[in-house]
Amino acid sequence: QSVLTQPPSASGTPGQRVTISCSGSSSNIGSNSVYWYQQLPGTAPKLLIYRNNQRPSGVPDRFSGSKSGTSASLAISGLRSEDEADYYCAAWDDSLSGVVFGGGTKLTVL
Amino acid sequence: QVQLQESGPGLVKPSQTLSLTCTVSGGSISSGSYYWSWIRQPAGKGLEWIGRMHTRGSTNNNPSLKSRVVISVDTSKNQFSLKLYSVTAADTAVYYCARGVTGDFDIWGQGTMVTVSS
């Protein structure tokens, strides 16, 4: 059971916009930044969004993040086949004094 | 640019100690305010943060792993290490080392598979 809650799966067709949610609590998302990772099969996760809504250099602007209260979302617009991957949210948890991850969302591009 | 590489045994017997090392190249492990973390992922499952250490000695570990985890840093070798004691089959996973502070892991190693089995 992960501390942060994500839907196990999401899907969309090429060109569509999809969102992935991440729900937490006041000790993690409610008081700290949220990070998003993309993990392609057989590879290490890649930082996609930091500080709730910032994109590292090289990440397309099709990817965007937002946060409200104790929840966060990752939006992917103009969906492409190469976006098919697992997506994870993460945050620092003040109560646990550690990093917590969501259980991951498998995105399928139909 | 900074790169990370995990190394260590791929097979560990139950009740023994899992030992992994992460070598930092392309930069000094002591530069900046980074923490150096270990993260694992059982096959087909999600990511689990194990713990982190700063070169100044500050550490944090996942409470779920209780006192089984020790993370250390060797600045002279530009490496940091993980020791996980009293392993069981549940500790079988791909282990990643990563650089970050509070969840912002911007650099990852490629990961190393560790199997706990007799």
Side-chain angles (χ1 to χ4, degrees), chain B residues 1 4 9-10 12 15 20 29 36 62 71-72 81 86 91 96 102 112:
Chain B
Q1 72 278 21
L4 307 181
V12 182
S15 80
L20 295 175
I29 197 172
W36 303 91
N62 190 326
I71 297 174
S72 59
S81 299
S86 304
D91 295 310
Y96 295 101
T102 57
T112 187

Side-chain angles (χ1 to χ4, degrees), chain A residues 9-20:
Chain A
S9 63
S11 64
T13 57
Q16 264 191 332
R17 181 178 187 271
V18 298
T19 61
I20 297 171

Side-chain angles (χ1 to χ4, degrees), chain A residues 33 35 37 39 42-47 50 86 88 90-92 96-103, chain B residues 37 39 41 45-49 52 60-63 96 101-106 108-111:
Chain A
S33 293
Y35 305 92
Y37 295 88
Q39 186 176 33
T43 68
K46 168 190 170 185
L47 182 64
Y50 68 98
D86 293 324
Y88 294 90
W92 181 263
L96 299 174
S97 294
V99 177
V100 292
F101 284 98
Chain B
S37 282
I39 297 159
Q41 184 174 36
K45 296 188 177 181
L47 301 168
E48 179 182 32
W49 179 76
R52 70 174 191 175
N60 299 92
N61 293 333
N62 190 326
Y96 295 101
V101 181
T102 57
D104 51 336
F105 303 113
D106 62 341
W108 295 66
Q110 65 184 25

Side-chain angles (χ1 to χ4, degrees), chain B residues 60-102:
Chain B
N60 299 92
N61 293 333
N62 190 326
S64 70
L65 296 171
K66 298 182 180 178
S67 57
R68 295 199 297 133
V69 172
V70 173
I71 297 174
S72 59
V73 172
D74 188 335
T75 55
S76 67
K77 294 182 179 179
N78 230 31
Q79 295 175 333
F80 62 106
S81 299
L82 168 69
K83 287 191 185 297
L84 181 63
Y85 298 96
S86 304
V87 297
T88 69
D91 295 310
T92 294
V94 174
Y95 285 75
Y96 295 101
C97 58
R99 183 183 82 170
V101 181
T102 57

Side-chain angles (χ1 to χ4, degrees), chain B residues 7-20:
Chain B
S7 59
L11 180 64
V12 182
K13 289 182 167 51
S15 80
Q16 295 195 341
T17 299
L18 180 159
S19 296
L20 295 175

